[in-house]
Amino acid sequence: MVVVLAGGVGAARFLRGLTAAVDPAAITVVVNVGDDVELHGLRICPDLDSITYWLTDLVHPEQQWGRADERFTVRDELERLGHEPWFTLGDRDLALHLHRTALLREGVPLSTVTADVAARHGLALRLLPASDDRVETRIHTTDGRDLGFQRWWVGERAAPDVADVEYRGAATAQPAPGVVEAIERADAIVIAPSNPVVSIAPITAVPGIAAALRSTAAPIVGISPIIHGRVVRGMAHRLLPAVGTAVDAAAVGLAYGARRDGGLLDGWVLDTADADGLERLHAAGLAATATATLMDDPELARRLARTSLELVGVDPAAAGRG
Ligand code: GDP
Ligand code: CA
């Protein structure tokens, strides 16, 4: 079994490749919930939904998030009612938020709701929210404000400078049912090429997840979300400096750290454009390799998934068997 720690779009693009390299039935994805936001009384889970829409080909192909063939009737009517439309909610997308929120209101945990939604979409892999408890990524800006992640990123286009990032609720959150067991039983754990600060850190900030990652016998390999000093998309370049990490592929791997030094990683994959960073990674005790990592092409994403597993000595075919 392969366990993937995942954010939204970067992870989804990788998972499209992994599901072609490994039997999807043997993949468990532990998904960030720190980006979740409550709007109009609805619980929105952007990372869970991005992965669902990507793996079912429902995603808007150019935008890379939300639904293709979307309509905005509800948003337009809300605007007429005086609501500032700072966060895009399409009609099709809204149906999922209505469904999820109704179940949550009945007391159904998010992990059960997520399994229900995945099954209704015919997803062959298992999606787990990192926690059923609320973990909320808060952005503290240098001008003294405390903003929800989506307010800062979508509402303010990531313009305010970031002083630090808080994972509110993480310290007391429990891992969702199945998360620790999956990490313990995995043949390999993959840290997707996701935003380290607002996609991966809110997952590993849950103490039970951090402990399971420390003690698992499975090797842990990550893929750099930074290529040649730049983000492929998103705002990691606005956040990494705030946590003291350079916007650099090797630097991100070194920030996750080698397990022998109390870090997360056994191996780190970066782009061929960043091959000059390999020496630093090897010196830190990490297995590391440089390969093509821009996943615009699904076949390339499949090869990247294979290479990542093989770097830490895992045969994709064997990992897919159980
Ligand atoms: P989000 O939650 O939708 O922002 O998605 P993630 O956190 O999963 O992914 C965002 C990160 O993925 C950004 O830092 C991107 O640079 C990175 N990313 C997106 N596409 C690719 C790609 O094709 N290759 C690599 N290496 N990174 C990517
Ligand atoms: Ca996200």
Side-chain angles (χ1 to χ4, degrees):
M1 194 204 4
V2 178
V3 172
V4 182
L5 308 188
V9 176
R13 282 154 61 88
F14 176 76
L15 287 168
R16 194 173 48 158
L18 185 66
T19 50
V22 169
D23 179 0
I27 300 173
T28 293
V29 190
V30 177
V31 185
N32 173 42
V33 291
D35 292 9
D36 292 12
V37 61
E38 190 135 329
L39 287 170
H40 311 293
L42 301 178
R43 171 80 174 267
I44 325 269
C45 302
D47 288 356
L48 283 167
D49 297 350
S50 287
I51 292 173
T52 302
Y53 295 155
W54 264 88
L55 295 180
T56 50
D57 283 329
L58 294 171
V59 72
H60 189 294
E62 287 85 38
Q63 194 173 266
Q64 306 218 0
W65 53 270
R67 293 281 303 261
D69 187 27
E70 187 55 288
R71 290 145 219 218
F72 298 94
T73 322
V74 176
R75 181 199 60 190
D76 293 348
E77 291 302 319
L78 283 168
E79 200 173 350
R80 196 200 302 274
L81 291 167
H83 294 269
E84 180 206 349
W86 67 272
F87 194 89
T88 305
L89 290 174
D91 298 353
R92 294 182 191 284
D93 197 27
L94 266 169
L96 172 50
H97 310 322
L98 287 166
H99 174 73
R100 170 165 48 225
T101 306
L103 289 170
L104 291 172
R105 288 265 154 77
E106 288 169 19
V108 180
L110 181 62
S111 52
T112 307
V113 178
T114 300
D116 167 83
V117 171
R120 289 178 194 277
H121 278 91
L123 285 189
L125 50 64
R126 182 159 70 134
L127 282 189
L128 293 173
S131 180
D132 283 335
D133 302 325
R134 198 71 179 88
V135 174
E136 208 187 338
T137 300
R138 306 289 307 184
I139 305 293
H140 300 166
T141 62
T142 53
D143 59 11
R145 290 181 298 155
D146 170 358
L147 301 175
F149 170 72
Q150 301 297 349
R151 257 293 165 191
W152 174 77
W153 161 231
V154 180
E156 305 213 10
R157 302 261 155 242
D161 288 331
V162 179
D164 67 84
V165 182
E166 176 195 356
Y167 309 109
R168 192 169 292 165
T172 53
Q174 297 298 316
V179 170
V180 167
E181 296 77 0
I183 291 170
E184 281 172 349
R185 296 219 311 265
D187 296 298
I189 294 165
V190 182
I191 299 180
S194 286
N195 188 313
V197 186
V198 294
S199 290
I200 302 302
I203 301 174
T204 57
V206 175
I209 297 180
L213 290 169
R214 266 195 304 276
S215 64
T216 183
I220 305 180
V221 61
I223 300 108
S224 175
I226 303 295
I227 302 180
H228 208 52
R230 306 179 68 117
V231 293
V232 179
R233 56 184 304 286
M235 52 12 238
H237 59 296
R238 300 283 294 138
L239 291 164
L240 285 166
V243 299
T245 303
V247 186
D248 170 82
V252 172
L254 293 170
Y256 280 129
R259 284 175 93 187
R260 69 161 195 207
D261 297 323
L264 271 178
L265 295 175
D266 296 294
W268 187 240
V269 179
L270 37 64
D271 197 83
T272 39
D274 298 303
D276 60 352
L278 287 174
E279 223 170 286
R280 276 187 289 157
L281 294 160
H282 290 147
L286 289 167
T289 189
T291 187
T293 69
L294 185 62
M295 302 175 290
D296 287 334
D297 163 22
E299 170 54 23
L300 192 151
R302 186 184 71 80
R303 280 203 303 270
L304 176 60
R306 284 194 70 91
T307 302
S308 306
L309 293 173
E310 285 165 0
L311 176 67
V312 289
V314 174
D315 170 8
R321 278 198 287 273

